[in-house]
Amino acid sequence: ETGVTQSPTHLIKTRGQQVTLRCSSQSGHNTVSWYQQALGQGPQFIFQYYREEENGRGNFPPRFSGLQFPNYSSELNVNALELDDSALYLCASNPGGRSRDTQYFGPGTRLTVL
Amino acid sequence: GENVEQHPSTLSVQEGDSAVIKCTYSDSASNYFPWYKQELGKRPQLIIDIRSNVGEKKDQRIAVTLNKTAKHFSLHITETQPEDSAVYFCAAIFNTNAGKSTFGDGTTLTVKP
């Protein structure tokens, strides 16, 4: 088991609402990425943060936004929720250095939008 | 951008047999290729990875091969066991964009006892 944690585990929201998901990176990891995993599909890259700055973004609209804090924990915010936003949201952290490519995933937050 | 195709989508084998899952990628700049195992309701876990300067890597019953020219890589599991049953994902990364992985759609492996 890795040290990446996420909260909450499950969340139910209604269309149009806003949600904040949280991720605590493994100790010493300064890079965090967020992914959306729809049922039966592979994770889709949302964005990455490195030392509190966004360091790349996938094909997701601006209503998906994020933050990384000085302790390298992170948040994913989604505004104006849509039904299609229902998915498992995963964060993953990288240790940097020679292992900078290696990602360690958290357990995910299951978001259901009704 | 990068596109990763993974085959087959489902694979059923008898315990003790071998299983092979194949992925192709489109961006020749990709140079890091991890494989993840995801059990139902759990997080993806890295099981093996390979970098573009290596053609093959093995870790006990698991091996990965990479053909850069053809832009495909494969996961090989030998002597399969029921606990190998899970969804397996491949991914391709250009390592200066660490974390921006492009994943395949997964292969559901079932190992029958």
Side-chain angles (χ1 to χ4, degrees):
Chain A
E1 286 297 309
T2 70
V4 183
T5 59
Q6 291 185 245
S7 62
T9 306
H10 296 88
L11 202 52
I12 299 175
K13 291 286 189 177
T14 56
R15 195 170 50 182
Q17 285 189 311
Q18 178 266 344
V19 68
T20 297
L21 310 181
R22 295 179 173 83
C23 173
S24 178
S25 299
Q26 191 162 334
S27 177
H29 291 195
N30 56 19
T31 302
V32 65
S33 301
W34 284 91
Y35 293 85
Q36 180 193 69
Q37 186 177 24
L39 202 60
Q41 296 183 17
Q44 299 293 312
F45 174 72
I46 302 174
F47 44 56
Q48 180 189 78
Y49 278 82
Y50 171 68
R51 294 185 176 179
E52 304 176 56
E53 297 286 334
E54 186 177 292
N55 186 38
R57 189 178 183 92
N59 295 326
F60 281 82
R63 58 189 186 84
F64 286 78
S65 63
L67 282 173
Q68 187 182 31
F69 300 100
N71 66 355
Y72 302 137
S73 65
S74 176
E75 286 183 355
L76 164 65
N77 298 290
V78 187
N79 293 322
L81 284 167
E82 301 177 358
L83 298 179
D84 285 348
D85 295 333
S86 295
L88 179 68
Y89 288 85
L90 296 161
C91 72
S93 66
N94 298 58
R98 292 184 63 186
S99 300
R100 64 185 183 279
D101 300 322
T102 306
Q103 296 182 82
Y104 296 93
F105 282 89
T109 293
R110 174 73 62 187
L111 173 66
T112 302
V113 182
L114 302 176
Chain B
E2 177 63 278
N3 182 51
V4 175
E5 293 189 359
Q6 183 171 345
H7 299 281
S9 56
T10 61
L11 180 59
S12 181
V13 300
Q14 208 65 36
E15 182 177 0
D17 287 350
S18 295
V20 180
I21 302 170
K22 299 181 180 180
C23 287
T24 60
Y25 61 99
S26 60
D27 189 348
S28 57
S30 291
N31 52 12
Y32 173 63
F33 307 93
W35 285 89
Y36 291 88
K37 175 183 180 182
Q38 188 174 29
E39 297 177 57
L40 193 62
K42 296 192 175 181
R43 72 188 78 192
Q45 292 206 313
L46 179 70
I47 56 171
I48 196 166
D49 56 12
I50 192 167
R51 300 182 189 278
S52 58
N53 59 346
V54 176
E56 184 174 358
K57 183 176 178 181
K58 189 174 182 180
D59 182 4
Q60 300 183 350
R61 298 186 297 108
I62 295 173
V64 57
T65 59
L66 171 65
N67 183 325
K68 286 189 296 181
T69 303
K71 289 190 280 190
H72 67 69
F73 56 112
S74 300
L75 177 70
H76 304 253
I77 306 174
T78 58
E79 300 172 22
T80 54
Q81 302 166 3
E83 50 266 38
D84 293 330
S85 297
V87 180
Y88 291 81
F89 292 98
C90 63
I93 304 174
F94 176 38
N95 71 0
T96 60
N97 297 322
K100 300 175 192 175
S101 309
T102 302
F103 281 77
D105 283 335
T107 296
T108 301
L109 173 64
T110 302
V111 180
K112 299 177 182 178

